Amino acid sequence: MDNNEVCEILLNWNLQNIKIEKIYNTAWQAGDSYILKEYHDLQMLERNLKILGILDKMHIPVGRIVPVVNNNGLYVKNGDLFYFLSEKLSGGNLKNITDIKGTALKVGGIIACLHKVFKECENDINGLWNNSLLDEMNNWVRKNFEDNNWKYISKEEYGQAVLNLSDLYNSLPVQLIHRDVHFGNFLFKDGQFSGYIDFDLSQRNIRVFDICYFVLGLLAEEELKLTQEQWFVFLKHTFTGYNNTLGLQEAEKKAVPYVMECIELLFASYFESINNMPCADGAINIYKFIKKNEDKITGIINYI
């Protein structure tokens, strides 16, 4: 969509003459104060709007929805696409980290605070996506590996990874989670946390998924350039920050390396299925790193 088409959409908020900057494939910054976002999936949009509205009422820093001018609606439809406008939060993405321990403790607490609020409000969100990492591993993830003749992992090793997860899975707390926790979805201003963004993938799942996903993402983060030892420091203090705020259950601590391994196998399977081999290779390499360091990871988490 070009800028003229974006301006036509922004007519619904009387912002057609404002400066426009494309910031993602489906998002534009309008002036200095607004973000316009595009959706193909109405159900996903409505779920996101519901989450944003509830979190805003609970005084959680998220982009406040701007109602459509003529009917006070929350979004507009244009052909097969849907759009909503939100206020732009202050701050930006954290790219340079000098205090690894302090930042990790802070982020662990930030994730825990979001989980605490999510737990309080999840029953108020209709159409919540109920998902299960274990079910995914037993279904489409396995099928993709089978269809590609177990190129990346043997059937036996895969079965053991799933078994390790399944032995603990029913003991893991399940609730609404963000599901896409990384530094790109946390905003900071002057070193202080200023807001959460992007709840498109939010779902009910094991809550430890979010923390594991975040820490794993640091291994693939090129801008931060963490060494392996720095990553282990980040691991320790992210989980410590979470535990200090909300408290980790013993089953969650035991499950950490197995959840991490299954997350990376999930991504390897997905990327292989769409023929993105560089990303599939990257996911498998992280899986192997976690597998090799299971005992070290378990020792760090158990110390918390």
Side-chain angles (χ1 to χ4, degrees), residues 5-286:
E5 293 172 303
V6 175
C7 287
E8 289 184 17
I9 300 297
L10 289 171
L11 271 167
N12 293 279
W13 291 273
N14 289 337
L15 294 173
Q16 62 273 17
N17 296 318
I18 207 165
K19 180 182 177 182
I20 300 164
E21 179 185 359
K22 190 169 187 176
I23 53 176
Y24 300 110
N25 289 335
T26 57
W28 296 262
Q29 181 171 323
D32 295 325
S33 304
Y34 304 102
I35 300 293
L36 180 72
K37 196 161 181 184
E38 176 185 274
Y39 284 80
H40 293 79
D41 186 331
L42 179 58
Q43 187 176 23
M44 179 185 287
L45 167 62
E46 291 178 335
R47 184 173 63 243
N48 193 11
L49 292 174
K50 184 70 172 179
I51 291 172
L52 287 173
I54 289 175
L55 293 181
D56 181 46
K57 288 180 181 178
M58 299 177 78
H59 307 292
I60 302 302
V62 294
R64 184 169 296 159
I65 302 164
V66 181
V68 178
V69 170
N70 64 349
N71 61 10
N72 213 38
L74 300 183
Y75 64 89
V76 296
K77 185 176 186 295
N78 183 43
D80 295 329
L81 301 174
F82 307 89
Y83 299 85
F84 84 94
L85 190 75
S86 64
E87 294 179 1
K88 183 180 181 294
L89 291 166
S90 62
N93 301 137
L94 193 64
K95 295 182 179 179
N96 298 313
I97 299 174
T98 55
D99 179 7
I100 291 178
K101 176 181 176 181
T103 301
L105 285 168
K106 185 181 296 183
V107 172
I110 289 167
I111 297 171
C113 286
L114 182 62
H115 281 182
K116 184 176 180 180
V117 173
F118 269 164
K119 185 65 176 176
E120 294 173 8
C121 73
E122 65 179 355
N123 291 333
D124 297 324
I125 303 173
N126 296 326
L128 203 57
W129 180 11
N130 282 288
N131 201 10
S132 162
L133 176 60
L134 182 59
D135 285 349
E136 289 186 288
M137 296 302 293
N138 279 321
N139 291 288
W140 71 264
V141 178
R142 180 189 295 272
K143 184 177 186 304
N144 285 344
F145 281 131
E146 286 177 344
D147 289 346
N148 289 283
N149 298 314
W150 300 100
K151 172 184 173 183
Y152 278 107
I153 186 173
S154 71
K155 183 177 181 180
E156 293 72 25
E157 185 176 346
Y158 182 85
Q160 187 59 54
V162 176
L163 181 61
N164 291 339
L165 179 66
S166 64
D167 283 346
L168 293 163
Y169 202 83
N170 289 336
S171 301
L172 302 177
V174 173
Q175 64 159 84
L176 177 60
I177 65 170
H178 187 283
R179 179 44 180 81
D180 195 18
V181 176
H182 54 79
F183 274 127
N185 285 333
F186 290 156
L187 301 180
F188 292 83
K189 183 178 182 181
D190 300 325
Q192 299 301 312
F193 177 66
S194 60
Y196 305 94
I197 62 174
D198 193 358
F199 296 93
D200 290 351
L201 298 180
S202 294
Q203 58 187 241
R204 277 179 54 84
N205 210 325
I206 51 174
R207 68 174 187 175
V208 75
F209 185 106
D210 270 352
I211 330 171
C212 291
Y213 182 96
F214 170 76
V215 176
L216 284 169
L218 299 174
L219 290 169
E221 178 57 63
E222 295 183 357
E223 288 189 16
L224 294 179
K225 295 183 173 65
L226 295 178
T227 66
Q228 288 186 6
E229 286 310 308
Q230 287 175 324
W231 182 80
F232 285 115
V233 173
F234 228 113
L235 167 79
K236 174 182 177 180
H237 293 292
T238 301
F239 276 90
T240 299
Y242 187 97
N243 188 60
N244 289 347
T245 302
L246 194 55
L248 286 161
Q249 295 186 9
E250 288 305 310
E252 289 179 297
K253 293 181 181 181
K254 292 178 182 177
V256 166
Y258 308 133
V259 172
M260 287 183 169
E261 289 165 12
C262 287
I263 288 173
E264 291 305 323
L265 289 174
L266 180 151
F267 278 108
S269 176
Y270 168 73
F271 286 124
E272 185 182 24
S273 73
I274 62 171
N275 294 314
N276 186 337
M277 297 314 172
C279 286
D281 291 342
I284 280 295
N285 287 337
I286 293 176

